[in-house]
Amino acid sequence: MRLPKTSRSYPSMMEEIFVGKGDYVIGGARSPAFLELDGARNRRPVVFGEAFDSLDGYHESAASMFSGRQTDVEEWSVMWKELGADGVCLRLTREDSPELVRKIAARTRIPIMVTADTDILMSVAKAVDFSILILNCSDADQSLAVSEGSNNHIVVAKCGQMDPKELCRDMASRGANNIMVDLGEGRMDNSLKHLRERIENYRLNGLNGDSDSQRTVLCDVTPSWDTHEADVSARRSSMYEATVALAVMMSGADAIIVKGPGAADMARVYGEELADL
């Protein structure tokens, strides 16, 4: 005989954040990742491809995947849009970063995340006001510092091993109106199990009504490229990265940062398939 249909919902939902010109939405989950429960959004995680303004120290095998366009951060960002990424994560070091961000935003018209030191993040936050950016800090101290001058942009709470509730409360008290949480880097090693558990628990706590655990979750999976020997091929490294990306997505990450087009494509395609159950 047929099993009876079942229905289940959670008392709360995760936050939604609006980026770009407010026309891109991240988060808003009403169930565990990819489960077709009552009120489920069927919204896949958002994929950001990273682009650098300097190739010093960048993986040569990864650079070969961008057909020479990686030598110009504007062209690199445009290429990510052409490849189907939802947004671009800019890793910036230059003094002209605010103007650079404005140019890239105008050319790509996709969400932009800026990863840089505190001074650059603050200058970008003050100078760019026509779109909502994501300001990605390197650690908890920078997250707190940037909160004071975020100018209504989104600030990433780089939690590391800190309690995300405590860090987000401190950031909000300093002026951050929009906060995403980064609960740890995605790597293809023994730390992945702990990261998955941390993301899953954070999301379930939020869905069950803990208002301090309802922020949108970001995970950077590009460190997957650093886990293995330098002579590992770009194809193999990209597969490692894609595996980690899918793992954190299935655990509840709402947005991921990737290095390779292969991982971006797999995350986007599988995300769409699973979100459409």
Side-chain angles (χ1 to χ4, degrees):
M1 69 175 184
R2 283 183 178 275
L3 292 174
K5 291 185 177 181
T6 59
S7 177
R8 181 179 178 185
S9 61
Y10 284 82
S12 297
M13 61 179 284
M14 305 298 283
E15 288 184 349
E16 292 179 321
I17 59 170
F18 295 83
V19 293
K21 294 186 177 181
D23 48 352
Y24 285 84
V25 186
I26 306 175
R30 294 179 178 175
S31 72
F34 302 115
L35 292 185
E36 183 62 57
L37 303 180
D38 285 358
R41 287 285 195 194
N42 292 334
R43 180 181 293 163
R44 70 168 174 81
V46 171
V47 180
F48 288 84
E50 67 173 3
F52 290 70
D53 64 5
S54 170
L55 293 178
D56 291 345
Y58 189 74
H59 290 266
E60 291 184 10
S61 58
S64 66
M65 298 186 292
F66 296 97
S67 306
R69 295 171 75 177
Q70 74 277 3
T71 59
D72 183 326
V73 67
E74 289 186 50
E75 286 300 317
W76 197 351
S77 300
V78 171
M79 187 174 183
W80 271 117
K81 180 178 181 179
E82 295 169 356
L83 290 168
D86 302 295
V88 60
C89 174
L90 301 176
R91 313 281 197 183
L92 303 179
T93 59
R94 289 164 29 180
E95 292 183 1
D96 66 341
S97 292
E99 181 60 28
L100 189 60
V101 171
R102 280 195 289 264
K103 288 180 180 178
I104 292 172
R107 290 190 63 186
T108 63
R109 299 184 181 277
I110 58 177
I112 292 179
M113 182 184 303
V114 181
T115 302
D117 64 26
T118 306
D119 291 341
I120 291 176
L121 287 174
M122 295 290 280
S123 65
V124 169
K126 292 176 182 177
V128 179
D129 58 4
F130 63 90
S131 61
I132 300 173
L133 306 174
I134 301 173
L135 307 175
N136 194 5
C137 308
S138 64
D139 54 37
D141 288 341
Q142 288 196 25
S143 299
L144 290 168
V146 174
S147 297
E148 298 175 4
S150 58
N151 197 27
N152 289 323
H153 294 304
I154 300 151
V155 185
V156 177
K158 212 60 169 285
C159 300
Q161 296 305 311
M162 284 189 63
D163 180 353
K165 299 181 187 181
E166 180 180 342
L167 178 57
C168 289
R169 282 195 292 264
D170 286 348
M171 290 172 63
S173 71
R174 295 182 182 220
N177 295 320
N178 302 294
I179 302 172
M180 297 179 74
V181 297
D182 182 334
L183 299 174
E185 296 178 337
R187 296 178 179 273
M188 190 75 163
D189 58 21
N190 293 333
S191 66
L192 183 57
K193 179 181 179 182
H194 172 70
L195 175 61
R196 291 190 61 191
E197 291 174 348
R198 197 174 189 201
I199 295 173
E200 288 171 359
N201 291 337
Y202 183 86
R203 183 157 170 165
L204 282 174
N205 287 340
L207 292 172
N208 281 310
D210 183 354
S211 60
D212 286 328
S213 300
Q214 293 175 344
R215 306 285 186 182
T216 303
V217 177
L218 169 71
C219 187
D220 185 350
V221 301
T222 62
S224 302
W225 285 71
D226 302 324
T227 307
H228 306 276
E229 295 81 3
D231 60 349
V232 173
S233 68
R235 179 177 175 81
R236 178 68 63 86
S237 296
S238 188
M239 291 300 294
Y240 291 149
E241 183 180 42
T243 300
V244 175
L246 295 178
V248 298
M249 286 165 53
M250 293 300 294
S251 300
D254 300 293
I256 59 172
I257 306 170
V258 300
K259 184 181 295 292
D265 190 51
M266 288 184 68
R268 180 175 56 82
V269 171
Y270 278 88
E272 288 172 354
E273 289 289 332
L274 291 168
D276 208 19
L277 291 173

